[in-house]
Amino acid sequence: MEISRTQSILVTGAAGFLGSHLCQALLAEGHSVVGVDNLSTGRMANLAELSGESRFDFVETDICQPFDVGKVGYVFNFASPASPADYARLGPETLYVGSYGTRHALEIARRHAAGFLHASTSECYGDPDVHPQNESYWGRVNPIGPRSVYDEAKRFSEALVMAFHRYHGVDTHLVRIFNTYGPRLQPTDGRVISNFMIQALLGEDLTVYGDGRQTRSFCFVSDLIDGILRLSRSSEHLPVNIGNPEEWTILECAREVLAVTGSQSKIRYEPLPQDDPMQRCPDISKAKRLLGWEPKIALRRGLELSLPYFRSSLAQAGRHARSGQS
Ligand code: UDP
């Protein structure tokens, strides 16, 4: 669905890592954006660059309650804790935002006949026994394990989005997002790239969980946002994988971080968390075919592009610690 520049676009989870980049990209295209966030894991600092922008409004609210931001032409639903550490801490809240929150965001799209794009996840595939994962694979998810609060919230959201499409005719889209990294990834959220970058810059050991042979495929944030914007304008209603199909073991990823930072840090092995997927790699043939999209930024380059951000987050944390002591 073409988004008219005269209508506002609603982004839930606007103060998050992906939400803030999405708001910025939409503003750069000339749209007006209303960003909503309850700041449970999002940070106002992520929106600092947008604060002077007259076409951007921010509303602090929890989408688990019904909410209203006036007429909108498109809804991007990105609100959810997303790192394993965050959703372990906010288990019920993660399930609520994926159910009540998604419902309220969908009701807004339905009320205004707006387009709707939901941020889903490769976690829908669980610990997959199909490799690489394509969209027709139904997944291997533990429905009651520690990751279930996230996985099942996202799977429920997908079902609800499809129901609003099928029963209420809402023009919906589902993106299954694979591991993404870049500036604004929260340095303390426990994810692998943020942990390794911060550890390397501090000269601390890099904590590799398990034997480090589990794999992930890392997409740089600008590539991901490009894919999402293309999907939002397509006529595809079924899920589409967006991610970088270059697959790395976690040990290889640690070595890339050491190379980019020039750090002398050592590797320290720690226990593998329960239900940690052993392999993850997107099959992106559908995105290539339907959207003419593929990622452009390889891991080494993306880490180089992220380095100044991680350096400055550390410098800021140091300043805060020093001013807290004084
Ligand atoms: N991981 C690691 N060390 C860390 C953080 C994560 O070895 O300090 C591993 C984790 O066990 C998983 C992979 O890196 O196998 C990716 O973890 P992340 O939390 O970034 O996201 P996930 O893909 O599991 O959602």
Side-chain angles (χ1 to χ4, degrees):
M1 170 169 169
E2 258 324 298
I3 312 173
S4 145
R5 297 239 165 112
T6 54
Q7 287 180 317
S8 279
I9 297 178
L10 167 63
V11 177
T12 74
F17 166 51
L18 296 181
S20 65
H21 281 283
L22 181 60
C23 289
Q24 202 165 10
L26 290 166
L27 288 164
E29 286 185 339
H31 298 290
S32 299
V33 177
V34 183
V36 164
D37 206 303
N38 71 348
L39 302 178
S40 68
T41 58
R43 300 176 298 160
M44 285 312 285
N46 287 340
L47 298 173
E49 286 174 53
L50 312 185
S51 60
E53 175 56 76
S54 60
R55 284 176 289 113
F56 182 67
D57 282 318
F58 178 75
V59 180
E60 183 177 340
T61 196
D62 184 351
I63 67 163
C64 292
Q65 304 300 326
F67 67 105
D68 185 9
V69 292
K71 186 157 175 56
V72 293
Y74 209 98
V75 178
F76 287 90
N77 189 38
F78 276 63
S80 176
S83 84
D86 281 342
Y87 60 70
R89 184 170 56 85
L90 298 167
E93 291 85 348
T94 304
L95 282 158
Y96 299 150
V97 77
S99 48
Y100 302 114
T102 299
R103 181 198 171 177
H104 295 141
L106 279 163
E107 294 288 7
I108 288 180
R110 185 183 179 195
R111 195 177 318 137
H112 298 296
F116 187 93
L117 184 141
H118 176 73
S120 191
T121 169
S122 56
E123 282 285 327
C124 288
Y125 303 125
D127 189 5
D129 44 17
V130 162
H131 198 69
Q133 293 82 57
N134 63 41
E135 293 86 348
S136 56
Y137 175 54
W138 290 356
R140 196 168 78 96
V141 171
N142 177 350
I144 52 165
R147 296 175 90 100
S148 64
V149 292
Y150 185 67
D151 299 6
E152 295 297 7
K154 290 290 187 179
R155 285 160 68 100
F156 177 82
S157 278
E158 286 201 358
L160 195 61
V161 169
M162 287 310 298
F164 267 67
H165 174 64
R166 291 190 177 118
Y167 295 80
H168 300 318
V170 179
D171 181 14
T172 61
H173 307 275
L174 285 165
V175 56
R176 290 197 179 136
I177 297 171
F178 284 66
N179 294 63
T180 305
Y181 68 102
R184 301 194 196 134
L185 194 59
Q186 189 158 339
T188 55
D189 77 359
R191 277 191 267 213
V192 67
I193 299 279
S194 40
N195 271 8
F196 285 177
M197 290 292 270
I198 296 291
Q199 290 161 345
L201 290 173
L202 289 173
E204 295 174 354
D205 292 349
L206 270 53
T207 51
V208 169
Y209 302 159
D211 60 12
R213 282 190 298 168
Q214 72 271 33
T215 68
R216 293 294 187 274
S217 306
F218 299 102
C219 190
F220 188 67
V221 63
S222 59
D223 278 335
L224 185 94
I225 297 294
D226 175 34
I228 284 173
L229 290 176
R230 288 175 192 234
L231 177 60
S232 72
R233 284 147 203 174
S234 79
S235 54
E236 178 62 21
H237 302 296
L238 296 173
V240 178
N241 289 340
I242 298 284
N244 190 322
E246 233 181 47
E247 186 179 1
W248 299 82
T249 68
I250 293 306
L251 212 46
E252 287 167 339
C253 170
R255 295 201 182 105
E256 288 295 294
V257 169
L258 290 177
V260 166
T261 54
S263 167
Q264 300 299 312
S265 288
K266 303 276 176 295
I267 286 176
R268 187 173 82 235
Y269 291 91
E270 294 196 351
L272 190 68
Q274 189 191 329
D275 295 339
D276 197 287
M278 273 316 291
Q279 52 182 4
R280 183 181 289 155
C281 180
D283 177 336
I284 60 164
S285 12
K286 188 171 176 184
K288 277 187 183 165
R289 189 177 71 250
L290 288 182
L291 313 175
W293 175 86
E294 63 183 316
K296 299 188 184 75
I297 299 179
L299 182 60
R300 177 67 70 99
R301 178 80 189 118
L303 290 174
E304 284 164 2
L305 292 169
S306 311
L307 186 57
Y309 160 76
F310 283 108
R311 273 196 212 287
S312 76
S313 334
L314 274 179
Q316 257 167 30
R319 270 199 297 280
H320 284 145
R322 279 193 296 280
S323 64
Q325 279 159 13
S326 59

